[in-house]
Amino acid sequence: MQEKVEGFIIRERDYLESSKILDVFTKKYGIISVISKGCKKPKSKLCSLSSKMTYGNLNIYYKEGKLSTLTNIDSINNLSNIKKDIVKISYVTYLMELIYQVVKQVETTEEIYNLFIATILKINDNLDPLVLTNILELKLLDYLGVSPILDKCSICGSKNNIVTLSLQKHGLLCKNCRTNESLYHIESIKYIRMYYYLDISKISKIEVKKEIKEEIKKYLNHYYERYTGLYLNSKEFIDKVKELTEE
């Protein structure tokens, strides 16, 4: 039976001469694979929509654990601001790869779907893509079971006199428990704690100093490398694109 599911196409690959197989992150079923038959033909109604970064309601014949069939897509948002900006495209490319890897490791995905879509829409609204990416990265650590301790000292549990973040010790450190750990800027600590609790869908303005954003980015990069086992080539692509656009 045909049904309508909300989803976001995160991967695509050619299939035979005129079709594609699409990996779609859906609100209802998580990530599923669907075949878009004949979509590479110029006159196909699926031609322009059977591609990555398409967000809409998909009409499909769903087959659990098998290849489902796509019949139509009703666009929810064409994400035009993202698709005309190479920097935004680079961030969304990374987030699609990250989501694909994370969803494979968890059992329930609807909350992750909502976080992901909220992030994409805010990037399309021209809010800072680095800050939004870091907020989502931080929240996803919860679902992977390796979130840093951000509400108290990770060693003694004190909520007072917090002075830095520790990669090795899994979160915040107070002045009594800090040994030779590098000192993070107090603003970085404040923002990273705020990121953890923010409702992405309600963000309307983002203003973070460049040096603070860079410090938080480096911390999360190292944290992901150390605790998640995920290595994503698309993150390097972001840096290359930013270098080119800033020249």
Side-chain angles (χ1 to χ4, degrees), residues 143-172:
Y143 297 93
L144 293 170
V146 292
S147 186
I149 297 169
L150 296 172
D151 60 345
K152 58 189 176 183
C153 176
S154 59
I155 302 300
C156 71
S158 173
K159 295 188 177 183
N160 300 317
N161 300 312
I162 299 297
V163 292
T164 196
L165 278 164
S166 171
L167 189 67
Q168 294 78 12
K169 295 177 181 174
H170 217 71
L172 299 178

Side-chain angles (χ1 to χ4, degrees), residues 12 32 63 71 88 126 143 185 209:
E12 62 178 285
I32 63 172
K63 297 178 182 178
T71 60
K88 290 184 178 70
N126 296 319
Y143 297 93
H185 198 286
K209 294 176 184 175

Side-chain angles (χ1 to χ4, degrees), residues 1 24 60 72 75-77 107 124 180 187 220:
M1 185 175 70
V24 187
I60 62 171
N72 195 23
S75 177
I76 294 174
N77 189 314
E107 293 183 3
N124 191 60
N180 59 348
E187 279 195 58
L220 287 172

